[in-house]
Amino acid sequence: MPGTVLLLAASPVGRGRLVDAAGVLPVLAAVAPAVLSGTDTANVVELADPLEPQAVLTRLRAAAAAPGPLTLYIAGQLQLDRRQRLPHLALARTTAATVRYTALPWHWIREELRLRSAADTVLVVDLHGDAEAWQYVAERGLDCGANAAVYGRVAPGAGRRGMAEPAYMKAVATLLRSGHRPPLPRLHEQALARIAESSAGRDLVLAIPGGSAPRPPFAHPPIRLGRLEGRAPTAPGTEQTPHPAEQHPPVITRPAPPPTAGRAPYAAGQIPPAIGQAPSSPGTGQSPHAVKRPPQAVEQVPPGNGQRSHPVERDFPGAGLDPHAAISAAVQGGRHGEADVLAAQQEQLAVGAHGAASDEALHWAEVRADLAMFAGDAVRSCRAWLAVAGVRLAAGQAVDAPAVEAAVDRAHHQWGRITAPDDARELGPALAELRLRVPGRRQGALENVQRQLRQLQAAR
């Protein structure tokens, strides 16, 4: 199956630029598409210093929806917005004061990959951050979700030394220009070795084979991968070379990230989102280089011994214990009813074990909302997203929390795709009420709902 590659290089134009991100694109473009993807053939999309976050979102959504392996190469600059203090990928028009409106929120990337599988989705990143963004990543990690393998680094700005270069990404591209793509952990290690002298003790290194989000503490180049247990990265400007006796051996770990308010812990193995009309904001195969995890064996226990087989293996033999893999297979096969039945089972289990407002239960509610969209049922999808938003708000999540905004935006997007006037009239008031509380990032969202409702009432 052909792969998909998205090359994204972005940084602000003017005084705020920390890195010449687009300078790496000619080197990446010289690599054969099949080598970039690790597949026999691949489609490559290139974005150089894009202006609008919505344009990037549209390309990202299309890439995430494509079947087969997906590889994202991202070089750029991280900045925090002043309101929520969340990391964004700065675009050409981004300034310190306009990050929230002109940059690409990093969680949009996570959200668009939420239904993909970590077995065939890879992020290769070379990011530079100002002091605040670097400290944020050092303390909290860079949450890419559980649905992608992540390799790369986050480096501090060069400061008075001038504009930085995406040296890690250039090293990756140079290695790939040989025509050979080694396994990604090995490629990552070789690239780090090439930039070791300039980056030692400064870079936050990401080496996550898949299944968890990068969290601190981080390893430092040149040879330590993954996590360096017990040591935090050195803040820019205070680097010290550790004594050899103080250095710990490398330990690659993949713990699941702890649940946090406003973010559902999406699991690996999920299906890609469908391509549709891009809403106002997000929410509106097997890779030969990935870590291949064979299905877990399920022991068949005779009835009556007090043990029950897992519902995924019972209802979808051969899927292993990952329900997302079974859902993915069902949707790709056009069996939307089966997919929803399995997701409903998982939602019921999560509600019983953790409660209706838990991250686990809300995750499965969101999966079911997306499944309705894939099945072409905009009414059911809109209704589900409205319910998710209501539960999150009732649980005390902020009106500008990313997960709340995403749920309302997706409900709005699906409401706009409802063709039956009666159904649109039924759901419109609830959406308008939510829009009063959650206006979102795009001006005019509430007015849009109210205007369409008036048109629907006049058409009666």
Side-chain angles (χ1 to χ4, degrees), residues 97-120:
T98 64
V99 171
R100 179 173 170 83
Y101 304 102
T102 62
L104 181 77
W106 190 260
H107 63 265
W108 285 15
I109 299 175
R110 183 193 71 216
E111 287 294 305
E112 291 307 316
L113 301 179
R114 72 192 185 281
L115 298 184
R116 286 197 62 91
S117 166
D120 63 5

Side-chain angles (χ1 to χ4, degrees), residues 83-84 100 107-108 281-284 389 392 398-411 435 438-441:
R83 181 175 179 181
Q84 294 180 296
R100 179 173 170 83
H107 63 265
W108 285 15
S281 60
T284 333
R392 289 193 180 279
V399 294
D400 60 353
V404 174
E405 287 186 340
V408 178
D409 287 339
R410 289 189 171 104
R435 272 301 184 202
V438 187
R441 292 171 176 253

Side-chain angles (χ1 to χ4, degrees), residues 19-165:
V19 58
D20 179 20
V24 74
L25 285 180
V27 189
L28 283 170
V31 180
V35 178
L36 286 172
S37 176
T39 56
D40 292 337
T41 60
N43 300 312
V44 179
V45 177
E46 180 178 318
L47 295 177
D49 282 331
L51 301 177
E52 298 292 340
Q54 291 294 326
V56 179
L57 175 63
T58 300
R59 294 288 192 177
L60 177 63
R61 177 168 292 139
L70 170 64
T71 308
L72 305 179
Y73 293 88
I74 303 177
Q77 178 174 326
L78 285 181
Q79 292 182 234
L80 304 184
D81 70 288
R82 291 181 174 179
R83 181 175 179 181
Q84 294 180 296
R85 315 302 295 169
L86 294 176
H88 291 62
L89 183 68
L91 303 183
R93 295 177 177 173
T94 300
T95 65
T98 64
V99 171
R100 179 173 170 83
Y101 304 102
T102 62
L104 181 77
W106 190 260
H107 63 265
W108 285 15
I109 299 175
R110 183 193 71 216
E111 287 294 305
E112 291 307 316
L113 301 179
R114 72 192 185 281
L115 298 184
R116 286 197 62 91
S117 166
D120 63 5
T121 307
V122 177
L123 271 76
V124 181
V125 301
D126 189 351
L127 303 169
H128 286 70
D130 59 19
E132 290 182 333
W134 192 95
Q135 192 65 33
Y136 177 99
V137 177
E139 294 176 352
R140 306 188 188 186
L142 186 63
D143 187 1
C144 304
N147 311 86
V150 184
Y151 294 93
R153 67 161 184 172
V154 180
R160 295 181 179 179
R161 292 176 296 172
M163 191 178 303
E165 289 190 349

Side-chain angles (χ1 to χ4, degrees), residues 193-237:
R194 291 197 173 203
I195 65 170
E197 183 176 350
S198 62
S199 62
R202 294 169 49 85
D203 292 358
L204 309 175
V205 176
L206 313 176
I208 309 299
S212 68
R215 310 289 294 183
F218 299 86
H220 293 161
I223 58 173
R224 294 188 293 279
L225 302 180
R227 301 165 184 267
L228 184 58
E229 300 296 337
R231 291 187 61 84
T234 307

